[in-house]
Amino acid sequence: GQQVMQIPQYQHVQEGEDFTTYCNSSTTLSNIQWYKQRPGGHPVFLIQLVKSGEVKKQKRLTFQFGEAKKNSSLHITATQTTDVGTYFCAGTGGGADGLTFGKGTHLIIQP
Amino acid sequence: DAGVIQSPRHEVTEMGQEVTLRCKPISGHNSLFWYRQTMMRGLELLIYFNNNVPIDDSGMPEDRFSAKMPNASFSTLKIQPSEPRDSAVYFCASSLTWRNTEAFFGQGTRLTVV
């Protein structure tokens, strides 16, 4: 079945530094979604990308969808302590595969 | 709307016992997903339903796991018999459709099998 890989697994940054997480799929995706999970919480939807090469921004967050629709990235500029959590990408393939999540990147911020 | 509601929030049970997890999706959502989250394996899709019909259960680990959706407002995930390796947080999520729409997650059920 569909597999979604995400790197890195953990990322330690100093507050104010930038952060990027990368997502790769074994198959072409119809869309890519990004979620954030705070410690002890549940995943919360951030954004969805559908078009090849699409770029979307939410304040300090920039999301990209690759031209081949098999990879994506999330970039956070000037991290803040409120950005702490695990960021997941999730994708749906062309068949009947359900929404498949990557293993997530745990963002740890040191003040 | 109160969002996706899961119960119980926590469950501690002994190995060999039957465990039933419950989920009420958001009204009007046609798709429902069950996920299991562990540190080692991350968020695993177990099964999902569209219009109450199971579409893909390839993620269900073994025959000990079963899921039902008798109507649009209720789903259960049952483990019988439970084993210590089933200990995890189980999330239910719902969405308008099974593709291209955001998934709304419940608070999760933390299951501990001793």
Side-chain angles (χ1 to χ4, degrees):
Chain A
Q2 176 179 284
Q3 290 189 343
V4 177
M5 282 71 70
Q6 199 172 345
I7 58 169
Q9 187 175 0
Y10 292 91
Q11 184 73 60
H12 292 77
V13 300
Q14 295 283 335
E15 187 176 8
E17 291 181 337
D18 292 357
F19 159 78
T20 305
T21 173
Y22 300 91
C23 183
N24 286 284
S25 170
S26 56
T27 59
T28 301
L29 300 170
S30 65
N31 71 79
I32 192 87
Q33 298 179 1
W34 286 91
Y35 291 76
K36 178 183 178 181
Q37 184 177 23
R38 294 183 184 276
H42 59 279
V44 175
F45 176 82
L46 294 176
I47 206 161
Q48 175 173 269
L49 305 171
V50 179
K51 298 177 183 176
S52 170
E54 190 170 13
V55 178
K56 287 188 176 180
K57 293 191 176 185
Q58 288 180 349
K59 297 182 180 178
R60 295 178 295 106
L61 279 60
T62 302
F63 304 84
Q64 292 187 325
F65 200 10
E67 293 290 340
K69 301 183 74 172
K70 295 180 75 172
N71 59 77
S72 182
S73 65
L74 158 60
H75 180 83
I76 302 178
T77 304
T79 55
Q80 300 174 359
T81 54
T82 53
D83 295 327
V84 164
T86 303
Y87 292 84
F88 293 95
C89 63
T92 306
D97 294 338
L99 188 61
T100 301
F101 279 74
K103 287 197 172 182
T105 296
H106 301 265
L107 174 59
I108 299 114
I109 297 177
Q110 294 151 347
Chain B
D1 200 318
V4 176
I5 300 172
Q6 291 186 247
S7 63
R9 291 292 309 278
H10 303 272
E11 177 81 32
V12 180
T13 191
E14 291 184 345
M15 182 174 62
Q17 296 296 307
E18 177 180 298
V19 175
T20 299
L21 311 181
R22 296 173 175 79
C23 176
K24 176 179 167 52
I26 293 173
S27 176
H29 282 191
N30 294 314
S31 298
L32 182 141
F33 306 82
W34 281 101
Y35 290 90
R36 177 173 68 176
Q37 185 173 40
T38 61
M39 285 299 295
M40 289 298 294
R41 302 172 72 92
L43 261 172
E44 300 174 276
L45 176 62
L46 301 178
I47 185 172
Y48 79 94
F49 296 83
N50 194 49
N51 294 323
N52 312 338
V53 176
I55 303 300
D56 182 7
D57 64 353
S58 60
M60 296 287 262
E62 343 179 345
D63 291 345
R64 298 184 297 105
F65 286 69
S66 62
K68 293 182 180 180
M69 192 164 185
N71 56 63
S73 59
F74 184 65
S75 177
T76 59
L77 178 67
K78 185 179 293 186
I79 308 173
Q80 166 63 21
S82 58
E83 297 182 2
R85 59 192 169 121
D86 301 331
S87 298
V89 179
Y90 290 81
F91 286 105
C92 173
S94 72
S95 62
L96 277 172
T97 64
W98 69 273
R99 176 195 289 273
N100 292 346
T101 57
E102 71 176 279
F104 293 81
F105 281 74
Q107 299 289 327
T109 295
R110 181 173 295 277
L111 173 65
T112 303
V113 183
V114 298

